[in-house]
Amino acid sequence: MSNTWESHAQALAAKVTHPGSRWWGPVCSTPRHLLVPRWWEDDDSSWTMRDGSDDKSAWLRAVYSDRTLVTRVGPRHADHAAPDDITTGPPTSSSTLPGLLLTMYRHAQLYNGADVLDVGVGSGYGTALLSAALGGHAITAVDIDPYLVEAAAERLADLGVQAKLAVADATGPLPGSYDRIVSTVAVRPIPPSWIQALRPGGRLVTTLTGIRAILTATKTGDAGAMVAEGRFEWDRAGFMSTRTGPDYPPAPVAKPNEAEGDEGIGRYPVVDVEESWELRSMLEIDHPGLVHRFERSGDRKTAWMIHPDGSWARATATGDALPIVRQAGPRRLWDALDDLRHRWLIDGELPLFGARAWVSAGGTVHLARGSWRARV
């Protein structure tokens, strides 16, 4: 293979789309490397800054792979880091993996002439793809981070992209009205400003915080309590949550008093809930705000669940043995997890994916599938 960026971009297009798609040309012609000159590389418990100019071949391989490249960790942007700098903390901005972007755009049912709001500027790569497909005049992109918007605007302008970029809190007032809203950040609830900015018949595509599925909803224009209707699609997706400051507030990390609570035997082996997206999502609907930790030492596995109300659970086991579980607080969190796993065994699935959804003017999402009902 030639080592030009164009050859790498075409190879990426072959992975995430096909020549008959409207996205083939945009993926082949968009120089993602110019939008992601630096990024943070995950190194177990820390992040190391990578500068593309240090090794062009490695830069092109990384940038034109179908992967997310983290560009900001906590309050630190890779553009401002020293070579081989190391930091820790949660990622706060990224260039989303191209395949997921195209999945979101497919669910948005985009069409020529549609005014599109791109929520979450990030590196600007998604904005560039949208502009190449629909024309930059139709695209407005917003982000809460002034530097991200400034850097993306300059780089996109150098590429001739004419989209409108603005600094805005996506959960607050929006700079216009739109036929489509596509969000690559997670929200909860749906911001009422989105409902207000969406034109009748307009469609939004997003994820809800902690729920790893794509929500689509079309504004009905009805005067009733529910102003948009859609469903959770069958595709999985996870995005960073919206934030109001330079970093996320700290998660609850207080270590539970292990002398408290009840001890028993779990019904199923220990599972890493954070990596079990359907379980994680269903738990988040019933117990919003849960924090999960998972540790492995040889064949020994320990999982923690901690809730802001003081509830906690710890399960430990070797291999596939049933775990010893200790839990305390107003919620029995491991019991809730085991109940979900039992339901999956009985029904062969959980009801989240494919569930119908109705959105109220205040942003609450009501869900239904079969006999299951939930509200987010």
Side-chain angles (χ1 to χ4, degrees):
M1 175 195 286
S2 171
N3 204 32
T4 65
W5 76 262
E6 291 92 345
S7 63
H8 282 271
Q10 186 165 345
L12 173 62
K15 292 179 181 178
V16 301
T17 184
H18 58 88
S21 167
R22 73 186 306 165
W23 299 106
W24 177 267
V27 174
C28 288
S29 63
T30 301
R32 191 185 185 203
H33 66 291
L34 298 182
L35 298 169
V36 191
R38 290 179 164 196
W39 67 97
W40 293 105
E41 193 81 33
D42 187 8
D43 187 15
D44 291 330
S45 60
S46 63
W47 302 86
T48 301
M49 197 280 285
R50 301 299 183 205
D51 189 325
S53 63
D54 291 341
D55 185 335
K56 184 178 178 181
S57 294
W59 183 17
L60 295 181
R61 287 195 303 272
V63 171
Y64 293 101
S65 61
D66 189 26
R67 56 180 283 206
T68 292
L69 296 175
V70 172
T71 54
R72 194 174 185 275
V73 173
R76 301 192 63 193
H77 199 290
D79 285 354
H80 302 147
D84 294 321
D85 203 354
I86 295 175
T87 191
T88 59
T92 48
S93 189
S94 68
S95 182
T96 300
L97 68 158
L100 180 54
L101 288 176
L102 299 193
T103 297
M104 299 293 283
Y105 301 157
R106 174 170 58 84
H107 284 302
Q109 301 177 1
L110 301 172
Y111 60 91
N112 292 335
D115 289 318
V116 179
L117 179 68
D118 177 19
V119 180
V121 169
S123 68
Y125 180 65
T127 306
L129 293 178
L130 288 167
S131 298
L134 302 175
H137 63 280
I139 310 302
T140 300
V142 297
D143 203 293
I144 197 170
D145 189 314
Y147 174 74
L148 288 174
V149 173
E150 178 185 3
E154 291 179 358
R155 292 164 182 165
L156 290 170
D158 289 342
L159 300 180
V161 176
Q162 298 179 345
K164 300 179 286 292
L165 273 67
V167 178
D169 180 348
T171 64
L174 298 174
S177 61
Y178 310 95
D179 301 298
R180 297 291 186 267
I181 296 177
V182 182
S183 178
T184 51
V185 292
V187 294
R188 187 168 181 174
I190 301 293
S193 60
W194 292 16
I195 304 298
Q196 295 163 9
L198 202 61
R199 295 166 184 163
R203 185 174 177 88
L204 66 85
V205 183
T206 189
T207 57
L208 301 182
T209 301
I211 299 174
R212 311 291 178 80
I214 297 172
L215 174 69
T216 60
T218 299
K219 189 170 182 178
T220 62
D222 295 340
M226 299 298 142
V227 295
E229 182 176 349
R231 70 172 188 172
F232 270 115
E233 303 292 345
W234 292 94
D235 293 297
R236 301 178 181 185
F239 291 103
M240 301 172 198
S241 299
T242 53
R243 52 186 170 82
T244 58
D247 199 354
Y248 296 111
V253 294
K255 188 173 182 179
N257 182 352
E258 296 188 35
E260 298 177 348
D262 306 318
E263 188 168 282
I265 303 297
R267 287 179 278 169
Y268 304 103
V270 174
V271 63
D272 184 353
V273 177
E274 200 64 51
E275 296 300 321
S276 305
W277 284 24
E278 195 171 6
L279 285 173
R280 174 72 172 86
S281 300
M282 290 290 291
L283 278 169
E284 182 65 22
I285 290 173
D286 293 333
H287 307 281
L290 267 178
V291 174
H292 298 271
R293 287 177 15 218
F294 182 79
E295 300 171 359
R296 185 189 296 271
S297 178
D299 204 26
R300 186 177 177 81
K301 298 177 288 186
T302 301
W304 290 85
M305 301 165 66
I306 303 173
H307 192 272
D309 70 0
S311 301
W312 62 269
R314 184 206 65 212
T316 302
T318 300
D320 294 334
L322 295 181
I324 297 174
V325 177
R326 180 170 285 276
Q327 50 190 339
R331 306 170 192 241
R332 288 299 184 260
L333 297 174
W334 201 263
D335 290 352
L337 173 62
D338 276 350
D339 288 344
L340 282 175
R341 298 174 77 180
H342 187 72
R343 179 173 187 169
W344 183 88
L345 286 172
I346 296 298
D347 296 340
E349 62 176 356
L350 293 174
L352 175 65
F353 294 100
R356 296 183 64 189
W358 295 265
V359 184
S360 72
T364 298
V365 180
H366 299 257
L367 302 170
R369 186 172 176 218
S371 62
W372 179 69
R373 301 289 185 273
R375 185 173 64 179
V376 182

